[in-house]
Structure formats: C-alpha cells, structure tokens
Amino acid sequence: MKSWLDLFDHFAERRTRTIAQQVSRRSALIGVGRVLLGTALALPVLPFDRSSQARAEGHGGGGKHKDPATETDCDYWRYCAVDGFLCSCCGGSATSCPPGTSPSKVAWVGTCHNPADGRDYLVSYNDCCGRTTCGRCFCNTNHGDRPGYRMGVHNDVNWCMSNDSSVYHCTTSIIVGVAEKD
Ligand code: ABN
C-alpha cells in the first residue's frame, strides 16, 4: 500500500514532467525574471514605517541635524555655545525671557558661525532668572567651554548669581556683534 508521501512524490513528479514538456527553458527564465523584477519594483513603494530611519537622520524631534533648524532646536546655529534650557521652549524666545523672569546681569559669550551668510557672530547667553527651572529643551553645546578649574572660561555656571533672584529658569541667545570679514 502506497503512503501519502509516495502519492505526493508521484504527483509532484508528474506535474514537473508535464510542465517541463510544455514550457521552454527560455520562457521559464523569463517568468522567473518577471517575478524578481516585479518584487524589486513593488517592495520599495509599499507603505513601510520608515519614521525610525527619518528620526536617525535628524528629521524628527530629537534627531541629529535638521535643515533648517529653528529656534527651538538645539542645533540652531546661534546655540553653538549654550548650556541650559532654551527660553524659546519656555514661554520666551531665543532673545527674550519668559514672563515673570528677568535677564541675568552677567553672561557667557560665544562665537557661532551662521551658515546662511557664512559669518561669525558674537552671542551672549544670558540666563533668565526668578522662576524655577523650565526643564524643556536642554541644550549643552558649550563650544569654547573649558573645565571648571579655569573659571573665566567655564560655562556651567548659574549666571543669575548677581540678580535679585538667583533662581535659574532658562537661557537666551542674543547676538551682540559680528566678526569682520577676512
Ligand atoms: N547657565 C545655565 C546654568 C544654570 C545653572 C547651573 C548651570 C548652568
């Protein structure tokens, strides 16, 4: 008595022989080629979720580089030497303190390159004082910062220290000068 496996083998062999007799090698290869080409063309347009790739390339919220960056993004050019929470995310703007806070009397100053016009700008990073820490959009680019034992060139400092209230809220980035062109 033949088993199911033998019957299946027999059926498969008969089908293969019939197909081999009816279909030429060339048309079989053309068929396989069509299937491969169709797959290659169809797969890239299928609606896959590519958002993680976009985020890795910086087109999302916390990515590397976004072009052009806006004033709530840490990689916005004028934030090149900041250490603090961006006031633009805290109810103020890149250049103004949020309501209920006042700008620090002393500040850290950095030099940042503006890719839009190819010039270098002197940027004053004044802290905004008088309300508890904002906690949004922390940005720690710190270009030009040196270790704490070199106090005059160290930026991890609460610049509200000489205001009436030394409570730190967020940091602004105000252009105070432009470098001469070579
Ligand atoms: N300049 C921002 C800041 C505030 C408090 C402590 C460190 C840094």
Side-chain angles (χ1 to χ4, degrees):
M1 154 114 186
K2 284 193 173 180
S3 71
W4 278 107
L5 219 55
D6 292 332
L7 283 174
F8 181 77
D9 270 355
H10 180 70
F11 174 76
E13 187 187 332
R14 289 287 304 275
R15 282 294 299 158
T16 310
R17 285 186 189 283
T18 312
I19 289 170
Q21 280 160 11
Q22 288 171 356
V23 181
S24 73
R25 193 179 301 169
R26 179 183 294 179
S27 65
L29 284 174
I30 288 171
V32 171
R34 278 196 184 133
V35 170
L36 289 178
L37 184 69
T39 313
L41 291 177
L43 275 181
V45 295
L46 291 176
F48 289 124
D49 177 11
R50 295 191 175 87
S51 56
S52 60
Q53 185 188 346
R55 273 194 298 279
E57 287 167 3
H59 302 296
K64 277 188 303 183
H65 282 286
K66 190 170 156 186
D67 199 20
T70 67
E71 67 168 41
T72 52
D73 299 315
C74 185
D75 55 1
Y76 185 43
W77 70 270
R78 71 161 66 186
Y79 298 145
C80 78
V82 76
D83 176 353
F85 300 101
L86 302 178
C87 287
S88 49
C89 300
C90 303
S93 73
T95 54
S96 63
C97 285
T101 64
S102 46
S104 61
K105 292 176 180 156
V106 287
W108 168 259
V109 177
T111 304
C112 299
H113 184 76
N114 181 354
D117 63 7
R119 302 191 72 169
D120 292 332
Y121 289 85
L122 203 61
V123 184
S124 177
Y125 297 101
N126 292 74
D127 288 341
C128 295
C129 321
R131 277 173 61 188
T132 52
T133 308
C134 161
R136 285 190 289 278
C137 299
F138 180 63
C139 187
N140 194 30
T141 45
N142 267 328
H143 179 70
D145 178 47
R146 293 293 174 270
Y149 57 81
R150 297 187 58 192
M151 280 196 61
V153 280
H154 181 57
N155 187 24
D156 192 8
V157 170
N158 180 357
W159 299 107
C160 293
M161 61 180 138
S162 53
N163 279 46
D164 288 342
S165 169
S166 61
V167 180
Y168 167 75
H169 186 63
C170 62
T171 306
T172 55
S173 309
I174 301 158
I175 295 170
V176 290
V178 57
E180 293 284 320
K181 274 192 171 166
D182 306 319

